[in-house]
């Protein structure tokens, strides 16, 4: 169905639902990938001397897309403030170690993912979120050329 657009405000309003949907799909991809690497991180090491609280495993957060000014914004992050059950380490320190491939600051082998860097590499840097955006726009009838 064609829409008549007379000015930039009407164009922005017409595009808003499509952009919200596109950003939501892109954000969901990053969120799912982050959760995958969090699980891989936990699977890469089986501690013998302590019982895991699993706070870090459940720390991924996806914020739904919102309109802010003339932009659609969303975010995916690790909620380090929610990780408060660690001894002698902050949530931020635990997340930093995990991004360095360390467990509790220790190098326990080379199969430990670098949680955040691997997430970004497998979504943003490899072009996956761009491919998702293009596919989403095409599914909505937009002609997209790269």
């Amino acid at each position: 169905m064609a829409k008549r657009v007379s000015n930039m405000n009407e164009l922005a309003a017409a595009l808003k639902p499509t952009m919200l949907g596109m950003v939501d799909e892109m954000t969901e991809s990053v969120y799912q990938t982050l959760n995958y690497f969090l699980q891989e991180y936990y699977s890469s090491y089986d501690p013998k001397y302590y019982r895991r609280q699993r706070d870090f495993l459940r720390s991924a957060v996806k914020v739904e897309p919102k309109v802010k000014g003339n932009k659609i914004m969303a975010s995916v992050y690790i909620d380090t403030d929610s990780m408060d059950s660690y001894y002698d380490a902050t949530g931020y320190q635990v997340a930093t170690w995990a991004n360095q491939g360390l467990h509790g600051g220790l190098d326990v082998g080379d199969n430990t993912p670098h949680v955040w860097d691997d997430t970004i590499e497998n979504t943003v840097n490899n072009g996956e979120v761009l491919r998702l955006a293009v596919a989403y726009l095409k599914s909505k009838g937009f002609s997209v050329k790269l």
Side-chain angles (χ1 to χ4, degrees):
M1 167 175 41
K3 288 188 179 186
R4 182 169 172 82
V5 174
S6 301
N7 58 50
M8 290 304 290
N9 288 338
E10 289 177 2
L11 178 60
L15 290 175
K16 183 176 155 183
T18 299
M19 299 307 291
L20 282 165
M22 181 186 72
V23 170
D24 187 52
E25 266 196 27
M26 295 163 61
T27 307
E28 182 64 22
S29 175
V30 174
Y31 178 72
Q32 292 298 327
T33 304
L34 176 57
N35 277 298
Y36 170 81
F37 283 112
L38 284 168
Q39 186 60 56
E40 287 295 303
Y41 176 80
Y42 270 78
S43 298
S44 71
Y45 178 61
D46 184 19
K48 305 286 186 241
Y49 302 106
Y50 62 90
R51 192 178 78 215
R52 287 179 160 163
Q53 300 298 313
R54 304 206 183 278
D55 288 352
F56 185 49
L57 181 62
R58 295 184 293 269
S59 67
V61 174
K62 174 188 168 195
V63 177
E64 299 299 320
K66 295 178 188 153
V67 177
K68 290 190 177 188
N70 62 352
K71 298 177 183 178
I72 307 289
M73 302 183 72
S75 57
V76 174
Y77 64 94
I78 295 170
D79 183 4
T80 57
D81 292 337
S82 71
M83 300 186 297
D84 58 5
S85 66
Y86 294 99
Y87 303 107
D88 297 326
T90 64
Y92 181 81
Q93 182 63 63
V94 170
T96 300
W97 284 331
N99 198 47
Q100 297 168 339
L102 306 173
H103 287 270
L106 303 173
D107 186 352
V108 296
D110 59 359
N111 66 334
T112 303
H114 296 220
V115 175
W116 188 251
D117 287 347
D118 288 350
T119 297
I120 296 302
E121 182 60 37
N122 286 276
T123 55
V124 178
N125 294 350
N126 71 354
E128 179 62 22
V129 291
L130 178 59
R131 284 188 289 279
L132 283 171
V134 168
Y136 187 86
L137 291 171
K138 285 182 176 181
S139 78
K140 299 300 180 189
F142 290 87
S143 176
V144 180
K145 295 179 183 175
L146 297 175

